[in-house]
Amino acid sequence: YLKLDGLIDYVVSSEEAGVEKPAAKPFEIALEKLGLEKANATIWMVGDSLVKDIAGAKQAVQAITFWRSHPTSETQICPPDFTFSRFDELINMINTACKA
C-alpha cells in the first residue's frame, strides 16, 4: 500500500520483542536481525509517537528518526530528526536519502 517493500528489510513487533517501546529490546532485535552492531550501524526509525518511537530509538540505538507529526503534538518531548505529515512525504525523504 505504501510502496515501501523494496526499502524495508525487517519489521520487529512488540509481540516478538516481548515488551513495548520505548524499551530497548525491539530496537536491539532489529539490529540482531540485520546482523549489525550498534556501534557500527545507521538505524532509521519511522514512528508516530515521540515517546515510544522517537525517544526510544534515540536512546536504544541512536537512530535517525522520522516522525509523523500530529497537529497537537509537542516536539519538545524529544525532537525528531525529520518530520512528515503524509506518507508520500516520507517516501520522498527516504528516496532522497537512499540516493545520497
Side-chain angles (χ1 to χ4, degrees), residues 34-60:
L34 292 165
L36 301 172
E37 295 182 22
K38 181 171 36 174
N40 301 323
T42 300
I43 304 297
W44 294 2
M45 174 63 191
V46 178
D48 62 357
S49 169
L50 287 171
V51 174
K52 291 181 177 182
D53 301 325
I54 305 307
K58 283 182 175 281
Q59 290 171 355

PDB file of all heavy atoms in Angstrom, residues 34-60:
ATOM      1  N   LEU A  34      19.433  -7.760  11.430  1.00  0.00           N
ATOM      2  CA  LEU A  34      20.236  -7.202  10.353  1.00  0.00           C
ATOM      3  C   LEU A  34      21.705  -7.614  10.433  1.00  0.00           C
ATOM      4  O   LEU A  34      22.473  -7.333   9.520  1.00  0.00           O
ATOM      5  CB  LEU A  34      20.126  -5.676  10.362  1.00  0.00           C
ATOM      6  CG  LEU A  34      18.755  -5.125   9.986  1.00  0.00           C
ATOM      7  CD1 LEU A  34      18.652  -3.650  10.372  1.00  0.00           C
ATOM      8  CD2 LEU A  34      18.511  -5.317   8.499  1.00  0.00           C
ATOM      9  N   GLY A  35      22.058  -8.267  11.547  1.00  0.00           N
ATOM     10  CA  GLY A  35      23.451  -8.675  11.720  1.00  0.00           C
ATOM     11  C   GLY A  35      24.379  -7.491  11.949  1.00  0.00           C
ATOM     12  O   GLY A  35      25.527  -7.510  11.521  1.00  0.00           O
ATOM     13  N   LEU A  36      23.880  -6.478  12.628  1.00  0.00           N
ATOM     14  CA  LEU A  36      24.644  -5.254  12.869  1.00  0.00           C
ATOM     15  C   LEU A  36      24.941  -5.059  14.347  1.00  0.00           C
ATOM     16  O   LEU A  36      24.205  -5.539  15.201  1.00  0.00           O
ATOM     17  CB  LEU A  36      23.858  -4.039  12.364  1.00  0.00           C
ATOM     18  CG  LEU A  36      23.497  -4.024  10.888  1.00  0.00           C
ATOM     19  CD1 LEU A  36      22.572  -2.860  10.592  1.00  0.00           C
ATOM     20  CD2 LEU A  36      24.750  -3.955  10.037  1.00  0.00           C
ATOM     21  N   GLU A  37      25.992  -4.319  14.622  1.00  0.00           N
ATOM     22  CA  GLU A  37      26.306  -3.902  15.985  1.00  0.00           C
ATOM     23  C   GLU A  37      25.967  -2.424  16.108  1.00  0.00           C
ATOM     24  O   GLU A  37      26.196  -1.648  15.174  1.00  0.00           O
ATOM     25  CB  GLU A  37      27.782  -4.128  16.274  1.00  0.00           C
ATOM     26  CG  GLU A  37      28.167  -5.598  16.270  1.00  0.00           C
ATOM     27  CD  GLU A  37      29.632  -5.793  16.596  1.00  0.00           C
ATOM     28  OE1 GLU A  37      30.238  -4.899  17.210  1.00  0.00           O
ATOM     29  OE2 GLU A  37      30.162  -6.851  16.224  1.00  0.00           O
ATOM     30  N   LYS A  38      25.455  -2.050  17.271  1.00  0.00           N
ATOM     31  CA  LYS A  38      25.010  -0.672  17.481  1.00  0.00           C
ATOM     32  C   LYS A  38      26.107   0.341  17.140  1.00  0.00           C
ATOM     33  O   LYS A  38      25.838   1.361  16.517  1.00  0.00           O
ATOM     34  CB  LYS A  38      24.548  -0.489  18.921  1.00  0.00           C
ATOM     35  CG  LYS A  38      24.045   0.886  19.226  1.00  0.00           C
ATOM     36  CD  LYS A  38      23.375   1.089  20.559  1.00  0.00           C
ATOM     37  CE  LYS A  38      23.899   0.348  21.710  1.00  0.00           C
ATOM     38  NZ  LYS A  38      23.268   0.727  22.978  1.00  0.00           N
ATOM     39  N   ALA A  39      27.338   0.049  17.484  1.00  0.00           N
ATOM     40  CA  ALA A  39      28.431   0.988  17.264  1.00  0.00           C
ATOM     41  C   ALA A  39      28.723   1.211  15.777  1.00  0.00           C
ATOM     42  O   ALA A  39      29.259   2.247  15.400  1.00  0.00           O
ATOM     43  CB  ALA A  39      29.685   0.491  17.971  1.00  0.00           C
ATOM     44  N   ASN A  40      28.356   0.248  14.935  1.00  0.00           N
ATOM     45  CA  ASN A  40      28.693   0.327  13.513  1.00  0.00           C
ATOM     46  C   ASN A  40      27.478   0.490  12.607  1.00  0.00           C
ATOM     47  O   ASN A  40      27.598   0.334  11.400  1.00  0.00           O
ATOM     48  CB  ASN A  40      29.445  -0.935  13.087  1.00  0.00           C
ATOM     49  CG  ASN A  40      30.709  -1.133  13.883  1.00  0.00           C
ATOM     50  OD1 ASN A  40      31.391  -0.176  14.204  1.00  0.00           O
ATOM     51  ND2 ASN A  40      31.007  -2.365  14.220  1.00  0.00           N
ATOM     52  N   ALA A  41      26.321   0.775  13.168  1.00  0.00           N
ATOM     53  CA  ALA A  41      25.085   0.773  12.384  1.00  0.00           C
ATOM     54  C   ALA A  41      24.487   2.170  12.266  1.00  0.00           C
ATOM     55  O   ALA A  41      24.641   3.002  13.145  1.00  0.00           O
ATOM     56  CB  ALA A  41      24.065  -0.154  13.032  1.00  0.00           C
ATOM     57  N   THR A  42      23.796   2.384  11.155  1.00  0.00           N
ATOM     58  CA  THR A  42      22.963   3.570  10.988  1.00  0.00           C
ATOM     59  C   THR A  42      21.525   3.068  10.938  1.00  0.00           C
ATOM     60  O   THR A  42      21.148   2.347  10.020  1.00  0.00           O
ATOM     61  CB  THR A  42      23.296   4.323   9.689  1.00  0.00           C
ATOM     62  OG1 THR A  42      24.665   4.726   9.747  1.00  0.00           O
ATOM     63  CG2 THR A  42      22.408   5.542   9.533  1.00  0.00           C
ATOM     64  N   ILE A  43      20.744   3.402  11.938  1.00  0.00           N
ATOM     65  CA  ILE A  43      19.367   2.921  12.070  1.00  0.00           C
ATOM     66  C   ILE A  43      18.412   4.079  11.840  1.00  0.00           C
ATOM     67  O   ILE A  43      18.616   5.175  12.360  1.00  0.00           O
ATOM     68  CB  ILE A  43      19.133   2.341  13.480  1.00  0.00           C
ATOM     69  CG1 ILE A  43      20.133   1.234  13.793  1.00  0.00           C
ATOM     70  CG2 ILE A  43      17.688   1.870  13.636  1.00  0.00           C
ATOM     71  CD1 ILE A  43      20.047   0.036  12.892  1.00  0.00           C
ATOM     72  N   TRP A  44      17.359   3.807  11.081  1.00  0.00           N
ATOM     73  CA  TRP A  44      16.290   4.779  10.882  1.00  0.00           C
ATOM     74  C   TRP A  44      15.059   4.272  11.594  1.00  0.00           C
ATOM     75  O   TRP A  44      14.710   3.102  11.485  1.00  0.00           O
ATOM     76  CB  TRP A  44      15.957   4.938   9.409  1.00  0.00           C
ATOM     77  CG  TRP A  44      17.013   5.524   8.552  1.00  0.00           C
ATOM     78  CD1 TRP A  44      18.270   5.909   8.915  1.00  0.00           C
ATOM     79  CD2 TRP A  44      16.896   5.792   7.164  1.00  0.00           C
ATOM     80  NE1 TRP A  44      18.933   6.405   7.825  1.00  0.00           N
ATOM     81  CE2 TRP A  44      18.123   6.344   6.740  1.00  0.00           C
ATOM     82  CE3 TRP A  44      15.884   5.622   6.233  1.00  0.00           C
ATOM     83  CZ2 TRP A  44      18.346   6.726   5.427  1.00  0.00           C
ATOM     84  CZ3 TRP A  44      16.112   6.005   4.935  1.00  0.00           C
ATOM     85  CH2 TRP A  44      17.332   6.558   4.539  1.00  0.00           C
ATOM     86  N   MET A  45      14.385   5.151  12.304  1.00  0.00           N
ATOM     87  CA  MET A  45      13.135   4.817  12.964  1.00  0.00           C
ATOM     88  C   MET A  45      12.046   5.715  12.413  1.00  0.00           C
ATOM     89  O   MET A  45      12.184   6.941  12.431  1.00  0.00           O
ATOM     90  CB  MET A  45      13.258   5.023  14.479  1.00  0.00           C
ATOM     91  CG  MET A  45      11.972   4.837  15.233  1.00  0.00           C
ATOM     92  SD  MET A  45      11.382   3.141  15.077  1.00  0.00           S
ATOM     93  CE  MET A  45       9.757   3.291  15.729  1.00  0.00           C
ATOM     94  N   VAL A  46      10.984   5.100  11.907  1.00  0.00           N
ATOM     95  CA  VAL A  46       9.817   5.840  11.432  1.00  0.00           C
ATOM     96  C   VAL A  46       8.716   5.574  12.439  1.00  0.00           C
ATOM     97  O   VAL A  46       8.393   4.418  12.716  1.00  0.00           O
ATOM     98  CB  VAL A  46       9.377   5.367  10.027  1.00  0.00           C
ATOM     99  CG1 VAL A  46       8.124   6.118   9.588  1.00  0.00           C
ATOM    100  CG2 VAL A  46      10.511   5.532   9.028  1.00  0.00           C
ATOM    101  N   GLY A  47       8.156   6.627  13.019  1.00  0.00           N
ATOM    102  CA  GLY A  47       7.122   6.421  14.022  1.00  0.00           C
ATOM    103  C   GLY A  47       6.203   7.602  14.170  1.00  0.00           C
ATOM    104  O   GLY A  47       6.431   8.672  13.607  1.00  0.00           O
ATOM    105  N   ASP A  48       5.171   7.395  14.975  1.00  0.00           N
ATOM    106  CA  ASP A  48       4.216   8.472  15.220  1.00  0.00           C
ATOM    107  C   ASP A  48       4.120   8.838  16.697  1.00  0.00           C
ATOM    108  O   ASP A  48       3.344   9.702  17.061  1.00  0.00           O
ATOM    109  CB  ASP A  48       2.840   8.129  14.655  1.00  0.00           C
ATOM    110  CG  ASP A  48       2.218   6.906  15.306  1.00  0.00           C
ATOM    111  OD1 ASP A  48       2.867   6.275  16.159  1.00  0.00           O
ATOM    112  OD2 ASP A  48       1.076   6.585  14.954  1.00  0.00           O
ATOM    113  N   SER A  49       4.907   8.190  17.542  1.00  0.00           N
ATOM    114  CA  SER A  49       4.914   8.513  18.966  1.00  0.00           C
ATOM    115  C   SER A  49       6.270   9.094  19.339  1.00  0.00           C
ATOM    116  O   SER A  49       7.304   8.433  19.174  1.00  0.00           O
ATOM    117  CB  SER A  49       4.646   7.260  19.804  1.00  0.00           C
ATOM    118  OG  SER A  49       4.903   7.533  21.175  1.00  0.00           O
ATOM    119  N   LEU A  50       6.266  10.319  19.855  1.00  0.00           N
ATOM    120  CA  LEU A  50       7.523  10.935  20.259  1.00  0.00           C
ATOM    121  C   LEU A  50       8.188  10.174  21.402  1.00  0.00           C
ATOM    122  O   LEU A  50       9.410  10.064  21.439  1.00  0.00           O
ATOM    123  CB  LEU A  50       7.295  12.395  20.665  1.00  0.00           C
ATOM    124  CG  LEU A  50       7.021  13.351  19.516  1.00  0.00           C
ATOM    125  CD1 LEU A  50       6.597  14.712  20.037  1.00  0.00           C
ATOM    126  CD2 LEU A  50       8.233  13.479  18.611  1.00  0.00           C
ATOM    127  N   VAL A  51       7.402   9.634  22.314  1.00  0.00           N
ATOM    128  CA  VAL A  51       7.969   8.917  23.456  1.00  0.00           C
ATOM    129  C   VAL A  51       8.373   7.499  23.071  1.00  0.00           C
ATOM    130  O   VAL A  51       9.521   7.100  23.246  1.00  0.00           O
ATOM    131  CB  VAL A  51       6.979   8.898  24.643  1.00  0.00           C
ATOM    132  CG1 VAL A  51       7.496   8.023  25.772  1.00  0.00           C
ATOM    133  CG2 VAL A  51       6.720  10.311  25.137  1.00  0.00           C
ATOM    134  N   LYS A  52       7.437   6.718  22.534  1.00  0.00           N
ATOM    135  CA  LYS A  52       7.710   5.306  22.251  1.00  0.00           C
ATOM    136  C   LYS A  52       8.668   5.118  21.081  1.00  0.00           C
ATOM    137  O   LYS A  52       9.603   4.323  21.155  1.00  0.00           O
ATOM    138  CB  LYS A  52       6.412   4.561  21.968  1.00  0.00           C
ATOM    139  CG  LYS A  52       5.533   4.419  23.181  1.00  0.00           C
ATOM    140  CD  LYS A  52       4.286   3.646  22.843  1.00  0.00           C
ATOM    141  CE  LYS A  52       3.422   3.438  24.070  1.00  0.00           C
ATOM    142  NZ  LYS A  52       2.243   2.642  23.755  1.00  0.00           N
ATOM    143  N   ASP A  53       8.445   5.816  19.995  1.00  0.00           N
ATOM    144  CA  ASP A  53       9.227   5.602  18.782  1.00  0.00           C
ATOM    145  C   ASP A  53      10.491   6.454  18.737  1.00  0.00           C
ATOM    146  O   ASP A  53      11.595   5.933  18.606  1.00  0.00           O
ATOM    147  CB  ASP A  53       8.378   5.896  17.544  1.00  0.00           C
ATOM    148  CG  ASP A  53       7.147   5.023  17.458  1.00  0.00           C
ATOM    149  OD1 ASP A  53       7.218   3.849  17.863  1.00  0.00           O
ATOM    150  OD2 ASP A  53       6.103   5.508  16.987  1.00  0.00           O
ATOM    151  N   ILE A  54      10.321   7.746  18.837  1.00  0.00           N
ATOM    152  CA  ILE A  54      11.427   8.670  18.633  1.00  0.00           C
ATOM    153  C   ILE A  54      12.405   8.624  19.804  1.00  0.00           C
ATOM    154  O   ILE A  54      13.593   8.347  19.622  1.00  0.00           O
ATOM    155  CB  ILE A  54      10.919  10.109  18.380  1.00  0.00           C
ATOM    156  CG1 ILE A  54       9.928  10.148  17.197  1.00  0.00           C
ATOM    157  CG2 ILE A  54      12.079  11.072  18.187  1.00  0.00           C
ATOM    158  CD1 ILE A  54      10.419   9.512  15.899  1.00  0.00           C
ATOM    159  N   ALA A  55      11.924   8.868  21.020  1.00  0.00           N
ATOM    160  CA  ALA A  55      12.822   8.835  22.185  1.00  0.00           C
ATOM    161  C   ALA A  55      13.384   7.433  22.396  1.00  0.00           C
ATOM    162  O   ALA A  55      14.578   7.277  22.679  1.00  0.00           O
ATOM    163  CB  ALA A  55      12.083   9.311  23.436  1.00  0.00           C
ATOM    164  N   GLY A  56      12.553   6.399  22.241  1.00  0.00           N
ATOM    165  CA  GLY A  56      13.013   5.024  22.427  1.00  0.00           C
ATOM    166  C   GLY A  56      14.136   4.668  21.474  1.00  0.00           C
ATOM    167  O   GLY A  56      15.159   4.106  21.879  1.00  0.00           O
ATOM    168  N   ALA A  57      13.988   4.990  20.197  1.00  0.00           N
ATOM    169  CA  ALA A  57      15.001   4.669  19.190  1.00  0.00           C
ATOM    170  C   ALA A  57      16.273   5.477  19.391  1.00  0.00           C
ATOM    171  O   ALA A  57      17.374   4.968  19.214  1.00  0.00           O
ATOM    172  CB  ALA A  57      14.446   4.897  17.794  1.00  0.00           C
ATOM    173  N   LYS A  58      16.124   6.733  19.769  1.00  0.00           N
ATOM    174  CA  LYS A  58      17.310   7.555  20.006  1.00  0.00           C
ATOM    175  C   LYS A  58      18.095   7.022  21.204  1.00  0.00           C
ATOM    176  O   LYS A  58      19.321   6.920  21.151  1.00  0.00           O
ATOM    177  CB  LYS A  58      16.924   9.013  20.229  1.00  0.00           C
ATOM    178  CG  LYS A  58      16.575   9.741  18.941  1.00  0.00           C
ATOM    179  CD  LYS A  58      16.258  11.202  19.227  1.00  0.00           C
ATOM    180  CE  LYS A  58      16.029  11.961  17.955  1.00  0.00           C
ATOM    181  NZ  LYS A  58      17.267  12.320  17.272  1.00  0.00           N
ATOM    182  N   GLN A  59      17.399   6.645  22.272  1.00  0.00           N
ATOM    183  CA  GLN A  59      18.071   6.146  23.469  1.00  0.00           C
ATOM    184  C   GLN A  59      18.675   4.762  23.257  1.00  0.00           C
ATOM    185  O   GLN A  59      19.792   4.489  23.671  1.00  0.00           O
ATOM    186  CB  GLN A  59      17.099   6.121  24.650  1.00  0.00           C
ATOM    187  CG  GLN A  59      16.723   7.492  25.132  1.00  0.00           C
ATOM    188  CD  GLN A  59      15.596   7.475  26.143  1.00  0.00           C
ATOM    189  OE1 GLN A  59      15.008   6.439  26.438  1.00  0.00           O
ATOM    190  NE2 GLN A  59      15.283   8.637  26.684  1.00  0.00           N
ATOM    191  N   ALA A  60      17.941   3.881  22.603  1.00  0.00           N
ATOM    192  CA  ALA A  60      18.383   2.490  22.468  1.00  0.00           C
ATOM    193  C   ALA A  60      19.483   2.304  21.433  1.00  0.00           C
ATOM    194  O   ALA A  60      20.447   1.568  21.676  1.00  0.00           O
ATOM    195  CB  ALA A  60      17.200   1.590  22.124  1.00  0.00           C
TER     196      ALA A  60
END
